[in-house]
Amino acid sequence: MFYSRYFIPTVKETPSDAEVISHQLMLRAGMIRKLAAGIYNYLPLGLRSIRKFEAIVREEMNRADAIEMLMPSVQPAELWQESGRWTFYGKELLRFKDRKDNDFCMGPTHEEVITDMVRREIKSYRQMPINFYQIQTKFRDEIRPRFGLMRGREFIMKDAYSFDVDSAAADGSYNKMFNAYHRIFERCGLNFRAVEADTGSIGGSSSHEFMVLADSGEDAIVSCDACRYAANVEKAEARPLQPTVGVELLSLEKKATPEMKTIVDVAAFLGMSTDKTIKTLVYASDAGEFVMAILRGDHELNEIKLKNSMGWDEIRMATEEEILQITGSPIGFLGPLGLKRPVPVLADLAVQSLANTVIGANEKDMHYINANPGRDFAPDRYIDLRNVQSGDACPRCENGKLEMWRGIEVGHVFKLGTKYSQALNATYLDADGKEQTIFMGCYGIGIGRTVAAAIEQNHDENGIIFPLPIAPFHCSVVAVNAKDAGVMAAAEEIYFKLEKLGIEVLFDDRDERPGVKFKDNDLIGIPLRLVVGSKGLAEGKIELKVRKTGEVLQLPIEAAIEQVRQLVADALGCGN
Ligand code: ATP
Ligand code: MG
């Protein structure tokens, strides 16, 4: 590609509305432009990276026996009503009517459409296992679209859906996708983890998220430093603590704690550390049910664990008014003892290990000290309710400690069981001619989000450092002085030689100062750069620079070309 005939509108200034580095750099490198909130034009350079990543995804999906198809983005409401999601999906589902007043939506995902196709076409156990995938545009009316392609409203996703005769066969399909995802993100040279993830209201079945590690990631994840356990903090299990033994239980006593509303204040006032105290929270469901959760003072409630343990679809904190009705007390002095209106009390497992602890007395400015679980208060259930913390013992192995990371969710694999096949009546006839329900799995990868995540993980002060497999071009050839006919002729020859070798080259033939060219080439993150100048040419040499390491080599022309060929082959290697 000749730079002068191409379109790369780079920008010097950091755009003010871009918070994360990948968004800033994609704008500055002329990869994307915003059309409306969460809706972007993919400019030529951005599209090249997107297409590169799509090609890797396609290859690995095909290798794992998934079959490509394409479903429409406009979907009829009837299917969503059948699955029950027309009402459940909420405002993220963009709904509209056609001229005949029929309801439609823009597809945020395609379980309904594919299940409808399959229930019409798949009739026999002989037609399974089968897995369909597509790379297609989704629309989700996200409440807070942000970070460029990372959280758009319109975005490209690869989604796959597997269909199997039973749960064990579905596990097999799931494992195949799980392995394919590993290959995909490995081939892109990304530092990632597959973590156990919450399955939300679908429950029971299992799910993994693929997380690219990056400080700006929206998800907190943990991994064990000794075994393979890794999980989203939303889901990560806390290992029960050792019970406290041999402590003399003192008598319960009510104590004034004037204006001490936070657990930190209360603990300091009583001269204790927060891990010896209890904090109390009250939550509500959409249906108007309530629950009281009690945790060790230094622990953080995991709302998803609480929501799942109550079997609720949604959860929110109770209002001050509701708390007053339930406990008779203003916030800050809540506890499980002496409620005005009984609600279920759930305690985190760690509460069991406390002795002579502190709880709110459900009375303004009052707490109990020397409260002992079992003796003074008895929660309805002890369950795992807290977020794990860095350094916690691993729930799976004996010696491991949990480490915390930030991650960007780029992929998600999910065992669906019969949730959609049951709702849409997708059945097949087994070997005995008996009708059975199909088992499903679904598997998503955010295409644009992965490219953005790759930039988030690979950049420096000069710009993007693309992993070669998803770089818009493998190599650039920079002619230092476009006015020098000798330099231009030599650079052009090198360009054509590389192209012939199957290397994707951006030939910077622009009549610009070398500094401008180098800056742009750094910014757009092309992994390899050959610089052709009159001085070097006089000695028959050109310069090879590796963007990632900064390594610079002066090499004879043919040797430089061979070196580029080798480096490209190595970087693409694991795909072959
Ligand atoms: P998130 O929790 O980030 O909203 P999700 O759980 O809603 O994601 P899935 O339904 O699992 O996402 O979608 C599959 C993949 O699609 C995600 O792993 C992610 O890579 C991508 N994706 C989801 N929402 C967006 C979005 N708004 N913009 C870009 N990519 C997205
Ligand atoms: Mg997800």
Side-chain angles (χ1 to χ4, degrees):
M1 184 66 63
F2 284 63
Y3 202 134
S4 63
R5 299 175 212 162
Y6 200 48
F7 183 69
I8 311 179
T10 58
V11 182
K12 273 207 201 79
E13 299 75 33
T14 302
S16 58
D17 59 338
E19 290 167 62
V20 296
I21 192 75
S22 59
H23 188 195
Q24 293 170 5
L25 288 174
M26 288 181 96
L27 289 169
R28 286 189 52 209
M31 295 178 72
I32 54 167
R33 288 291 183 265
K34 179 164 128 181
L35 177 65
I39 302 178
Y40 288 85
N41 282 309
Y42 300 93
L43 301 191
L45 200 67
L47 186 63
R48 281 188 75 101
S49 270
I50 296 268
R51 292 283 185 253
K52 287 291 201 54
F53 181 53
E54 286 177 358
I56 293 174
V57 170
R58 233 178 222 114
E59 271 178 43
E60 295 302 334
M61 285 295 113
N62 295 343
R63 191 198 299 272
D65 299 326
I67 306 167
E68 184 164 12
M69 63 175 291
L70 186 59
M71 290 176 256
S73 38
V74 173
Q75 306 184 4
E78 287 77 24
L79 283 179
W80 286 74
Q81 283 152 353
E82 245 187 285
S83 74
R85 287 208 289 186
W86 185 251
T87 41
F88 188 74
Y89 212 93
K91 288 197 166 172
E92 264 189 34
L93 189 64
L94 181 64
R95 301 146 209 257
F96 56 94
K97 287 185 188 292
D98 69 3
R99 64 167 73 196
K100 294 188 182 140
D101 223 25
N102 295 317
D103 285 309
F104 285 88
C105 64
M106 293 299 291
T109 176
H110 280 70
E111 282 82 6
E112 282 80 359
V113 175
I114 192 72
T115 310
D116 177 60
M117 193 279 277
V118 162
R119 72 178 164 185
R120 293 164 197 274
E121 308 296 334
I122 304 282
K123 305 281 184 203
S124 155
Y125 71 97
R126 287 197 196 90
Q127 293 167 284
M128 289 179 279
I130 197 158
N131 185 340
F132 296 103
Y133 80 96
Q134 62 173 346
I135 297 178
Q136 193 254 11
T137 301
K138 302 279 183 266
F139 195 95
R140 294 182 182 178
D141 204 353
E142 298 269 356
I143 187 164
R144 240 163 56 85
R146 60 187 182 283
F147 308 156
L149 299 192
M150 203 86 91
R151 184 169 296 285
R153 292 198 295 164
E154 185 181 294
F155 59 96
I156 305 170
M157 194 201 284
K158 184 286 298 177
D159 43 332
Y161 306 89
S162 64
F163 299 86
D164 281 283
V165 292
D166 57 25
S167 176
D171 286 355
S173 296
Y174 181 89
N175 291 341
K176 258 172 131 171
M177 285 293 107
F178 185 83
N179 294 334
Y181 275 40
H182 268 278
R183 287 185 60 89
I184 288 168
F185 298 114
E186 261 158 30
R187 279 183 63 179
C188 296
L190 296 172
N191 185 9
F192 69 97
R193 297 275 189 289
V195 304
E196 292 181 11
D198 176 53
T199 52
S201 48
I202 294 170
S205 19
S206 73
S207 154
H208 284 89
E209 288 163 344
F210 285 74
M211 296 280 186
V212 166
L213 303 185
D215 291 340
S216 60
E218 290 185 283
D219 286 271
I221 61 176
V222 292
S223 63
C224 175
D225 62 5
C227 75
R228 293 172 59 140
Y229 181 71
N232 193 314
V233 166
E234 289 178 358
K235 155 97 180 174
E237 299 152 36
R239 195 186 181 97
L241 304 171
Q242 294 301 322
T244 316
V245 283
V247 175
E248 187 196 345
L249 301 188
L250 307 174
S251 355
L252 187 71
E253 197 182 313
K254 207 187 236 182
K255 201 151 175 123
T257 49
E259 299 300 324
M260 299 293 143
K261 288 188 190 167
T262 69
I263 203 70
V264 175
D265 289 345
V266 173
F269 181 78
L270 297 171
M272 311 168 74
S273 55
T274 51
D275 61 355
K276 300 281 186 288
T277 66
I278 283 179
K279 68 178 169 197
T280 302
L281 302 157
V282 183
Y283 276 82
S285 74
D286 275 359
E289 298 159 272
F290 293 93
V291 63
M292 177 173 273
I294 62 177
L295 295 105
R296 215 171 78 177
D298 61 324
H299 284 160
E300 209 176 273
L301 176 77
N302 181 314
E303 289 186 4
I304 292 184
K305 289 179 181 175
L306 182 62
K307 179 178 82 145
N308 290 346
S309 65
M310 294 301 289
W312 294 349
D313 288 335
E314 289 300 329
I315 193 162
R316 63 169 175 85
M317 285 182 103
T319 63
E320 270 192 77
E321 183 57 36
E322 289 164 342
I323 288 174
L324 193 64
Q325 283 173 12
I326 291 166
T327 66
S329 161
I331 292 172
F333 310 96
L334 311 183
L337 265 181
L339 298 182
K340 275 180 86 180
R341 193 180 127 194
V343 295
V345 177
L346 302 189
D348 178 62
L349 295 173
V351 166
Q352 266 173 317
S353 316
L354 292 173
N356 300 327
T357 182
V358 178
I359 54 175
N362 291 326
E363 191 180 329
K364 187 171 179 338
D365 294 339
M366 297 302 256
H367 278 82
Y368 284 111
I369 60 166
N370 302 332
N372 285 290
R375 187 191 71 180
D376 303 316
F377 61 93
D380 295 284
R381 273 194 284 161
Y382 280 104
I383 49 168
D384 177 15
L385 275 185
R386 70 177 177 97
N387 281 336
V388 296
Q389 297 173 335
S390 176
D392 276 357
C394 174
R396 293 292 150 77
C397 74
E398 286 314 311
N399 304 314
K401 294 251 176 301
L402 296 181
E403 293 177 304
M404 287 262 199
W405 313 88
R406 300 298 303 178
I408 300 167
E409 181 199 320
V410 289
H412 198 171
V413 293
F414 212 112
K415 290 183 193 171
L416 288 171
T418 56
K419 181 183 158 86
Y420 294 95
S421 43
Q422 223 159 25
L424 273 75
N425 199 27
T427 59
Y428 70 95
L429 295 181
D430 68 14
D432 303 323
K434 253 181 67 192
E435 194 173 7
Q436 305 277 5
T437 305
I438 294 176
F439 275 74
M440 288 175 60
C442 70
Y443 317 94
I445 290 181
I447 301 290
R449 187 184 282 186
T450 303
V451 171
I455 296 174
E456 208 60 48
Q457 203 174 67
N458 298 281
H459 64 267
D460 63 12
E461 63 284 4
N462 297 319
I464 302 168
I465 307 175
F466 266 117
L468 191 135
I470 56 169
F473 295 92
H474 301 144
C475 179
S476 59
V477 173
V478 179
V480 173
N481 182 355
K483 290 207 171 71
D484 184 326
V487 167
M488 279 302 272
E492 197 171 316
E493 199 185 326
I494 294 165
Y495 163 67
F496 283 118
K497 276 191 176 159
L498 287 167
E499 287 260 294
K500 247 200 184 130
L501 292 170
I503 291 160
E504 298 170 18
V505 189
L506 181 65
F507 175 26
D508 198 344
D509 60 333
R510 291 175 300 166
D511 187 9
E512 289 281 1
R513 283 181 292 114
V516 171
K517 293 188 179 189
F518 294 148
K519 265 211 161 67
D520 279 343
N521 275 274
D522 276 347
L523 175 61
I524 65 181
I526 310 298
L528 304 170
R529 177 204 296 173
L530 291 174
V531 182
V532 185
S534 52
K535 242 165 87 200
L537 281 180
E539 296 170 26
K541 286 189 172 171
I542 56 176
E543 178 188 294
L544 168 62
K545 183 168 180 189
V546 181
R547 175 78 179 86
K548 190 171 177 171
T549 57
E551 188 186 2
V552 177
L553 298 168
Q554 306 292 337
L555 295 169
I557 295 176
E558 290 308 319
I561 291 174
E562 170 53 23
Q563 182 83 345
V564 168
R565 192 198 63 74
Q566 192 61 50
L567 288 170
V568 171
D570 289 350
L572 298 178
C574 63
N576 303 325

